[in-house]
Protein backbone atom coordinates (compact mmCIF):
# COMPACT_ATOMS: atom_id res chain seq x y z
CA UNK A 1 0.00 0.00 0.00
CA UNK A 2 2.87 2.38 0.71
CA UNK A 3 4.31 1.72 -2.76
CA UNK A 4 0.87 2.12 -4.35
CA UNK A 5 0.38 5.38 -2.45
CA UNK A 6 3.67 6.78 -3.77
CA UNK A 7 2.88 5.71 -7.33
CA UNK A 8 -0.56 7.34 -7.08
CA UNK A 9 0.85 10.59 -5.74
CA UNK A 10 3.40 10.65 -8.56
CA UNK A 11 0.60 10.19 -11.10
CA UNK A 12 -1.52 12.88 -9.44
CA UNK A 13 1.38 15.33 -9.61
CA UNK A 14 0.88 15.37 -13.38
CA UNK A 15 -2.66 16.78 -12.97
CA UNK A 16 -1.77 19.40 -10.35
CA UNK A 17 -0.64 22.98 -10.85
CA UNK A 18 2.55 24.42 -9.41
CA UNK A 19 0.85 25.01 -6.04
CA UNK A 20 -0.46 21.44 -5.67
CA UNK A 21 -4.07 22.06 -6.72
CA UNK A 22 -5.86 19.47 -8.89
CA UNK A 23 -6.57 21.12 -12.25
CA UNK A 24 -7.77 18.07 -14.20
CA UNK A 25 -10.31 16.45 -11.86
CA UNK A 26 -11.51 13.77 -14.30
CA UNK A 27 -8.00 12.42 -14.77
CA UNK A 28 -7.44 12.57 -11.00
CA UNK A 29 -10.63 10.55 -10.43
CA UNK A 30 -9.45 7.91 -12.92
CA UNK A 31 -6.08 7.67 -11.16
CA UNK A 32 -7.75 7.17 -7.78
CA UNK A 33 -10.18 4.59 -9.21
CA UNK A 34 -7.23 2.60 -10.56
CA UNK A 35 -5.56 2.85 -7.13
CA UNK A 36 -8.67 1.36 -5.51
CA UNK A 37 -8.82 -1.52 -8.01
CA UNK A 38 -5.14 -2.39 -7.52
CA UNK A 39 -5.46 -2.24 -3.71
CA UNK A 40 -8.62 -4.37 -3.80
CA UNK A 41 -6.86 -7.02 -5.89
CA UNK A 42 -3.95 -7.04 -3.46
CA UNK A 43 -6.25 -7.35 -0.45
CA UNK A 44 -8.11 -10.29 -1.99
CA UNK A 45 -4.79 -11.99 -2.71
CA UNK A 46 -3.06 -11.35 0.64
CA UNK A 47 -5.71 -10.86 3.33
CA UNK A 48 -9.06 -12.24 2.20
CA UNK A 49 -8.43 -15.61 3.88
CA UNK A 50 -6.08 -14.58 6.69
CA UNK A 51 -7.76 -11.43 8.08
CA UNK A 52 -10.34 -13.40 10.07
CA UNK A 53 -7.83 -15.69 11.85
CA UNK A 54 -5.54 -12.70 12.45
CA UNK A 55 -8.32 -10.74 14.18
CA UNK A 56 -9.26 -13.81 16.25
CA UNK A 57 -5.65 -14.23 17.42
CA UNK A 58 -5.42 -10.53 18.28
CA UNK A 59 -8.66 -10.71 20.32
CA UNK A 60 -7.40 -13.78 22.17
CA UNK A 61 -4.14 -12.04 23.07
CA UNK A 62 -6.00 -8.89 24.10
CA UNK A 63 -8.34 -10.87 26.39
CA UNK A 64 -5.31 -12.32 28.15
CA UNK A 65 -3.86 -8.87 28.94
CA UNK A 66 -4.43 -7.13 32.24
CA UNK A 67 -7.19 -4.50 31.87
CA UNK A 68 -5.91 -0.98 31.19
CA UNK A 69 -6.99 2.32 29.65
CA UNK A 70 -6.10 1.23 26.14
CA UNK A 71 -7.48 -2.32 25.97
CA UNK A 72 -11.05 -1.17 25.25
CA UNK A 73 -9.80 1.14 22.50
CA UNK A 74 -8.00 -1.83 20.91
CA UNK A 75 -11.16 -3.94 21.14
CA UNK A 76 -12.96 -1.15 19.28
CA UNK A 77 -10.18 -1.07 16.69
CA UNK A 78 -10.41 -4.82 16.07
CA UNK A 79 -14.19 -4.54 15.67
CA UNK A 80 -13.79 -1.76 13.10
CA UNK A 81 -11.20 -3.79 11.19
CA UNK A 82 -13.63 -6.72 11.09
CA UNK A 83 -16.34 -4.42 9.70
CA UNK A 84 -13.96 -3.08 7.05
CA UNK A 85 -12.95 -6.63 6.12
CA UNK A 86 -16.60 -7.53 5.51
CA UNK A 87 -17.19 -4.42 3.40
CA UNK A 88 -14.07 -5.02 1.32
CA UNK A 89 -15.09 -8.59 0.52
CA UNK A 90 -18.58 -7.37 -0.36
CA UNK A 91 -17.01 -5.06 -2.95
CA UNK A 92 -15.10 -7.94 -4.57
CA UNK A 93 -14.70 -7.56 -8.30
CA UNK A 94 -15.16 -4.13 -9.81
CA UNK A 95 -16.95 -1.80 -7.37
CA UNK A 96 -19.36 0.73 -8.82
CA UNK A 97 -18.05 4.26 -9.27
CA UNK A 98 -20.10 5.55 -6.35
CA UNK A 99 -18.57 2.83 -4.11
CA UNK A 100 -14.96 3.58 -5.02
CA UNK A 101 -14.40 6.14 -2.26
CA UNK A 102 -16.13 4.01 0.40
CA UNK A 103 -14.11 0.91 -0.50
CA UNK A 104 -10.88 2.90 -0.51
CA UNK A 105 -11.65 4.19 3.02
CA UNK A 106 -11.89 0.58 4.27
CA UNK A 107 -8.71 -0.43 2.43
CA UNK A 108 -6.89 2.58 3.87
CA UNK A 109 -8.14 1.67 7.35
CA UNK A 110 -6.60 -1.79 7.04
CA UNK A 111 -3.38 -0.43 5.56
CA UNK A 112 -3.01 2.04 8.43
CA UNK A 113 -4.22 -0.04 11.38
CA UNK A 114 -3.97 -3.69 10.34
CA UNK A 115 -0.48 -3.69 11.86
CA UNK A 116 -2.11 -3.18 15.28
CA UNK A 117 -3.93 -6.51 14.90
CA UNK A 118 -0.72 -8.23 13.79
CA UNK A 119 1.17 -6.62 16.67
CA UNK A 120 -1.39 -7.68 19.27
CA UNK A 121 -1.50 -11.24 17.89
CA UNK A 122 2.24 -11.58 18.60
CA UNK A 123 2.48 -9.56 21.79
CA UNK A 124 2.23 -12.36 24.29
CA UNK A 125 5.09 -14.77 24.81
CA UNK A 126 6.80 -16.17 27.87
CA UNK A 127 9.47 -13.61 28.84
CA UNK A 128 12.71 -14.72 30.43
CA UNK A 129 13.57 -14.25 34.10
CA UNK A 130 14.45 -10.79 35.40
CA UNK A 131 16.92 -9.75 38.09
CA UNK A 132 16.33 -10.65 41.69
CA UNK A 133 15.89 -7.77 44.11
CA UNK A 134 19.58 -7.86 45.13
CA UNK A 135 20.79 -8.05 41.50
CA UNK A 136 18.47 -5.22 40.49
CA UNK A 137 19.78 -3.04 43.33
CA UNK A 138 23.42 -3.69 42.42
CA UNK A 139 22.98 -3.05 38.69
CA UNK A 140 20.76 -0.02 39.26
CA UNK A 141 23.47 1.61 41.39
CA UNK A 142 26.04 0.94 38.66
CA UNK A 143 23.73 2.29 35.98
CA UNK A 144 22.93 5.45 37.92
CA UNK A 145 26.63 6.11 38.48
CA UNK A 146 27.24 5.66 34.77
CA UNK A 147 24.29 7.93 33.98
CA UNK A 148 25.85 10.74 36.01
CA UNK A 149 29.08 10.34 34.03
CA UNK A 150 27.36 10.14 30.64
CA UNK A 151 27.93 6.39 30.34
CA UNK A 152 24.34 5.31 29.64
CA UNK A 153 23.51 5.22 25.91
CA UNK A 154 19.80 4.66 25.28
CA UNK A 155 18.94 2.31 22.38
CA UNK A 156 15.17 1.71 22.27
CA UNK A 157 12.08 2.21 24.40
CA UNK A 158 8.62 0.58 24.47
CA UNK A 159 5.65 -0.21 26.70
CA UNK A 160 4.96 -3.77 27.87
CA UNK A 161 1.52 -5.35 28.39
CA UNK A 162 1.77 -4.81 32.15
CA UNK A 163 2.09 -1.04 31.63
CA UNK A 164 5.80 -0.74 32.31
CA UNK A 165 8.00 1.42 30.11
CA UNK A 166 11.10 -0.60 29.20
CA UNK A 167 14.25 1.02 27.83
CA UNK A 168 17.14 -0.93 26.32
CA UNK A 169 20.49 0.75 26.80
CA UNK A 170 24.25 0.33 26.74
CA UNK A 171 25.98 0.60 30.12
CA UNK A 172 29.49 1.88 29.39
CA UNK A 173 32.12 1.35 32.10
CA UNK A 174 35.90 1.49 31.63
CA UNK A 175 35.67 1.33 27.82
CA UNK A 176 33.49 -1.78 28.03
CA UNK A 177 29.75 -1.90 27.45
CA UNK A 178 26.90 -4.11 28.62
CA UNK A 179 23.35 -4.34 27.25
CA UNK A 180 20.87 -3.77 30.07
CA UNK A 181 17.14 -3.04 30.35
CA UNK A 182 15.52 -0.40 32.57
CA UNK A 183 11.97 0.19 33.71
CA UNK A 184 10.66 3.70 34.29
CA UNK A 185 11.72 7.05 32.87
CA UNK A 186 15.55 7.25 32.69
CA UNK A 187 15.32 11.03 33.22
CA UNK A 188 13.14 10.79 36.34
CA UNK A 189 13.78 9.31 39.80
CA UNK A 190 12.68 5.75 40.48
CA UNK A 191 13.91 3.83 37.42
CA UNK A 192 15.65 0.51 37.93
CA UNK A 193 17.55 -2.15 35.98
CA UNK A 194 15.66 -5.42 35.39
CA UNK A 195 18.15 -7.44 33.34
CA UNK A 196 21.51 -7.77 31.61
CA UNK A 197 21.89 -9.47 28.17
CA UNK A 198 24.65 -10.65 25.87
CA UNK A 199 23.39 -8.51 22.98
CA UNK A 200 20.33 -6.68 21.68
CA UNK A 201 18.95 -9.76 19.92
CA UNK A 202 18.96 -11.81 23.13
CA UNK A 203 17.36 -8.89 24.99
CA UNK A 204 14.55 -8.71 22.42
CA UNK A 205 13.87 -12.44 22.80
CA UNK A 206 13.95 -12.32 26.60
CA UNK A 207 12.09 -9.12 27.50
CA UNK A 208 8.30 -8.63 27.28
CA UNK A 209 7.12 -7.77 23.78
CA UNK A 210 6.27 -4.14 22.95
CA UNK A 211 2.70 -2.95 22.65
CA UNK A 212 1.66 -1.03 19.51
CA UNK A 213 2.77 2.61 19.87
CA UNK A 214 0.13 5.30 20.14
CA UNK A 215 -0.77 8.23 17.91
CA UNK A 216 -0.64 11.95 18.58
CA UNK A 217 -4.26 12.61 17.59
CA UNK A 218 -6.73 9.69 17.73
CA UNK A 219 -9.00 11.52 15.29
CA UNK A 220 -6.13 12.27 12.88
CA UNK A 221 -6.20 11.39 9.21
CA UNK A 222 -4.61 8.30 7.70
CA UNK A 223 -1.51 8.59 5.54
CA UNK A 224 -3.47 6.65 2.89
CA UNK A 225 -6.56 8.85 3.06
CA UNK A 226 -5.28 12.39 3.48
CA UNK A 227 -7.31 15.44 2.48
CA UNK A 228 -5.98 17.58 -0.33
CA UNK A 229 -3.34 19.99 0.92
CA UNK A 230 -3.92 23.70 0.74
CA UNK A 231 -1.99 25.56 -2.00
CA UNK A 232 1.34 26.89 -0.83
CA UNK A 233 3.88 29.31 -2.26
CA UNK A 234 7.42 27.87 -2.04
CA UNK A 235 9.92 29.99 -0.12
CA UNK A 236 12.30 29.78 -3.09
CA UNK A 237 9.65 31.39 -5.29
CA UNK A 238 9.11 34.22 -2.79
CA UNK A 239 12.88 34.75 -2.58
CA UNK A 240 13.03 34.91 -6.38
CA UNK A 241 10.22 37.47 -6.41
CA UNK A 242 12.22 39.68 -4.04
CA UNK A 243 15.43 39.29 -6.03
CA UNK A 244 13.68 40.21 -9.28
CA UNK A 245 11.57 43.02 -7.79
CA UNK A 246 11.89 46.61 -9.03
CA UNK A 247 9.42 48.32 -6.69
CA UNK A 248 8.63 48.16 -2.98
CA UNK A 249 5.14 46.79 -3.61
CA UNK A 250 6.51 43.58 -5.13
CA UNK A 251 8.66 42.87 -2.06
CA UNK A 252 5.78 43.78 0.22
CA UNK A 253 3.55 41.23 -1.52
CA UNK A 254 6.19 38.50 -1.13
CA UNK A 255 6.55 39.16 2.60
CA UNK A 256 2.79 39.31 3.10
CA UNK A 257 2.45 35.98 1.27
CA UNK A 258 5.03 34.47 3.65
CA UNK A 259 2.99 35.54 6.69
CA UNK A 260 -0.56 34.96 5.43
CA UNK A 261 -3.04 33.33 7.81
CA UNK A 262 -5.93 30.99 7.12
CA UNK A 263 -6.45 28.34 4.46
CA UNK A 264 -3.55 29.37 2.22
CA UNK A 265 -1.16 30.17 5.08
CA UNK A 266 2.32 31.38 4.24
CA UNK A 267 5.48 29.42 5.07
CA UNK A 268 6.27 31.44 8.21
CA UNK A 269 2.79 30.75 9.57
CA UNK A 270 3.04 27.06 8.73
CA UNK A 271 6.44 26.88 10.41
CA UNK A 272 5.20 28.12 13.78
CA UNK A 273 2.21 25.75 13.47
CA UNK A 274 4.75 22.96 12.91
CA UNK A 275 6.59 23.91 16.10
CA UNK A 276 3.35 23.91 18.11
CA UNK A 277 2.41 20.49 16.72
CA UNK A 278 5.88 19.10 17.52
CA UNK A 279 5.59 20.55 21.03
CA UNK A 280 2.29 18.72 21.49
CA UNK A 281 3.91 15.46 20.37
CA UNK A 282 6.83 15.95 22.74
CA UNK A 283 4.51 16.55 25.71
CA UNK A 284 2.40 13.52 24.74
CA UNK A 285 5.46 11.29 25.31
CA UNK A 286 4.77 11.81 29.05
CA UNK A 287 8.46 11.78 29.95
CA UNK A 288 10.60 14.33 31.76
CA UNK A 289 12.62 15.08 28.61
CA UNK A 290 9.43 15.22 26.55
CA UNK A 291 7.93 17.87 28.83
CA UNK A 292 11.15 19.91 28.74
CA UNK A 293 11.51 19.78 24.96
CA UNK A 294 7.78 20.45 24.52
CA UNK A 295 8.09 23.63 26.58
CA UNK A 296 11.15 24.65 24.53
CA UNK A 297 9.32 24.11 21.23
CA UNK A 298 6.30 26.02 22.53
CA UNK A 299 8.53 28.97 23.39
CA UNK A 300 10.18 28.84 19.95
CA UNK A 301 6.75 28.70 18.32
CA UNK A 302 5.64 31.80 20.20
CA UNK A 303 8.83 33.62 19.18
CA UNK A 304 8.30 32.67 15.55
CA UNK A 305 4.64 33.71 15.69
CA UNK A 306 5.69 37.09 17.09
CA UNK A 307 8.38 37.38 14.40
CA UNK A 308 5.81 36.59 11.69
CA UNK A 309 3.59 39.44 12.94
CA UNK A 310 6.59 41.78 12.91
CA UNK A 311 7.43 40.74 9.32
CA UNK A 312 3.78 41.27 8.34
CA UNK A 313 3.81 44.79 9.81
CA UNK A 314 7.13 45.58 8.10
CA UNK A 315 5.71 44.32 4.79
CA UNK A 316 2.73 46.65 5.07
CA UNK A 317 5.03 49.56 5.88
CA UNK A 318 7.23 48.70 2.91
CA UNK A 319 4.22 48.58 0.60
CA UNK A 320 3.09 51.98 1.87
CA UNK A 321 6.38 53.61 0.83
CA UNK A 322 5.29 53.54 -2.86
CA UNK A 323 8.92 53.53 -3.98
CA UNK A 324 11.03 52.02 -6.73
CA UNK A 325 14.73 51.29 -6.98
CA UNK A 326 16.75 54.32 -8.23
CA UNK A 327 17.87 54.21 -11.87
CA UNK A 328 21.60 54.30 -11.07
CA UNK A 329 21.32 50.65 -10.02
CA UNK A 330 21.81 49.53 -13.59
CA UNK A 331 22.09 45.78 -14.24
CA UNK A 332 25.44 44.60 -15.50
CA UNK A 333 25.30 43.31 -19.07
CA UNK A 334 26.20 39.66 -19.54
CA UNK A 335 29.78 38.87 -20.47
CA UNK A 336 29.35 37.91 -24.12
CA UNK A 337 32.24 38.17 -26.58
CA UNK A 338 31.19 39.59 -29.95
CA UNK A 339 31.42 37.01 -32.72
CA UNK A 340 33.08 38.03 -36.02
CA UNK A 341 30.81 38.65 -39.00
CA UNK A 342 30.46 35.77 -41.44
CA UNK A 343 32.20 37.67 -44.28
CA UNK A 344 35.13 38.74 -42.14
CA UNK A 345 38.45 37.20 -43.13
CA UNK A 346 40.04 35.50 -40.15
CA UNK A 347 43.32 37.08 -38.99
CA UNK A 348 46.52 35.50 -40.33
CA UNK A 349 48.18 32.91 -38.17
CA UNK A 350 51.21 34.17 -36.21
CA UNK A 351 54.60 33.33 -37.78
CA UNK A 352 56.28 30.25 -36.46
CA UNK A 353 59.62 30.97 -34.81
CA UNK A 354 62.32 28.32 -34.81
CA UNK A 355 65.15 28.49 -32.43
CA UNK A 356 68.45 26.98 -33.41
CA UNK A 357 70.01 24.92 -30.71
CA UNK A 358 73.77 25.41 -30.56
CA UNK A 359 75.69 22.22 -30.40
CA UNK A 360 78.43 22.07 -27.89
CA UNK A 361 81.79 21.15 -29.38
Amino acid sequence: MALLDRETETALDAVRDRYGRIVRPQEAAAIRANRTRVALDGYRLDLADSAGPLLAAARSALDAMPPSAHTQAWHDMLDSLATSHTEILRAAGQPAEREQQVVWAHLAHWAENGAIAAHLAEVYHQPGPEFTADEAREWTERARAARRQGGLDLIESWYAADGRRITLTYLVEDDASEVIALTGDPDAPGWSVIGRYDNEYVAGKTLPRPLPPGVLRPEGTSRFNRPEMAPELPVQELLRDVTEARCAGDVSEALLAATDQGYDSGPMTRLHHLLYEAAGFSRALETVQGQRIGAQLDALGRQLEFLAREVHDAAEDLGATVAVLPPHRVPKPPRIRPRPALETTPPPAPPQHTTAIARRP
Side-chain angles (χ1 to χ4, degrees):
M1 282 290 283
L3 177 61
L4 177 60
D5 181 62
R6 288 195 296 270
E7 292 174 348
T8 302
E9 286 302 311
T10 300
L12 287 172
D13 285 341
V15 298
R16 291 187 173 111
D17 64 9
R18 58 196 276 189
Y19 304 116
R21 294 172 296 203
I22 296 290
V23 292
R24 299 202 293 273
Q26 290 184 342
E27 293 182 33
I31 292 169
R32 293 191 177 105
N34 180 69
R35 173 193 64 180
T36 301
R37 286 192 295 270
V38 173
L40 192 55
D41 290 341
Y43 189 93
R44 285 201 307 267
L45 181 65
D46 297 329
L47 281 171
D49 297 328
S50 58
L54 174 64
L55 293 174
R59 286 194 179 95
S60 177
L62 193 53
D63 291 338
M65 289 184 190
S68 62
H70 43 259
T71 51
Q72 184 56 50
W74 281 335
H75 274 297
D76 295 341
M77 176 61 72
L78 296 178
D79 290 343
S80 70
L81 288 171
T83 300
S84 289
H85 175 63
T86 302
E87 293 299 321
I88 292 169
L89 294 185
R90 185 177 299 165
Q94 297 294 328
E97 184 176 349
R98 58 185 176 82
E99 296 177 344
Q100 292 275 356
Q101 189 172 356
V102 175
V103 174
W104 174 254
H106 291 299
L107 290 165
H109 181 40
W110 259 96
E112 190 74 27
N113 300 305
I116 293 178
H119 206 144
L120 291 174
E122 297 179 349
V123 112
Y124 256 12
H125 79 302
Q126 186 61 40
E130 297 181 1
F131 278 156
T132 64
D134 290 339
E135 290 173 326
R137 190 179 307 109
E138 175 189 348
W139 280 86
T140 300
E141 290 174 358
R142 288 175 57 181
R144 288 179 177 169
R147 180 69 163 167
R148 289 190 293 269
Q149 298 171 6
L152 212 58
D153 296 334
L154 307 184
I155 304 171
E156 186 181 2
S157 180
W158 68 87
Y159 285 91
D162 58 8
R164 292 183 299 171
R165 179 189 172 190
I166 296 176
T167 302
L168 204 60
T169 181
Y170 289 119
L171 171 62
V172 182
E173 296 175 312
D174 300 327
D175 296 329
S177 65
E178 304 266 11
V179 177
I180 61 173
L182 323 173
T183 59
D185 184 351
D187 296 302
W191 58 269
S192 62
V193 180
I194 60 172
R196 177 262 172 202
Y197 311 94
D198 292 337
N199 51 56
E200 297 174 46
Y201 177 78
V202 173
K205 290 292 185 181
T206 307
L207 289 164
R209 297 273 176 87
L211 293 179
V215 295
L216 178 59
R217 300 187 183 281
E219 71 284 357
T221 58
S222 162
R223 62 171 290 193
F224 301 105
N225 204 24
R226 295 178 177 134
E228 287 292 330
M229 290 191 295
E232 181 178 6
L233 277 170
V235 176
Q236 292 184 74
E237 186 172 328
L238 297 175
L239 178 59
R240 184 188 63 194
D241 290 346
V242 173
T243 303
E244 297 175 355
R246 301 297 177 92
C247 65
D250 295 337
V251 178
S252 173
E253 288 180 5
L255 294 176
L256 290 173
T259 56
D260 272 345
Q261 302 282 335
Y263 174 72
D264 52 350
S265 299
M268 288 193 73
T269 302
R270 294 184 193 275
L271 183 55
H272 71 69
H273 288 167
L274 171 64
L275 292 179
Y276 287 144
E277 193 77 354
F281 179 93
S282 188
R283 289 192 301 270
L285 295 174
E286 299 180 6
T287 63
V288 170
Q289 282 285 74
Q291 301 305 311
R292 182 188 66 79
I293 297 171
Q296 181 183 8
L297 289 170
D298 258 334
L300 292 171
R302 288 193 296 272
Q303 292 177 28
L304 188 57
E305 188 175 9
F306 173 78
L307 179 61
R309 288 198 298 268
E310 291 288 299
V311 171
H312 187 88
D313 293 343
E316 291 183 334
D317 293 341
L318 183 61
T321 61
V322 192
V324 297
L325 292 174
H328 66 78
R329 303 182 66 89
V330 179
K332 290 183 178 180
R335 295 180 178 180
I336 301 176
R337 291 182 178 180
R339 299 177 63 183
L342 294 178
E343 63 276 6
T344 303
T345 304
Q352 295 184 353
H353 299 281
T354 55
T355 303
I357 301 176
R359 293 180 179 271
R360 294 181 180 271

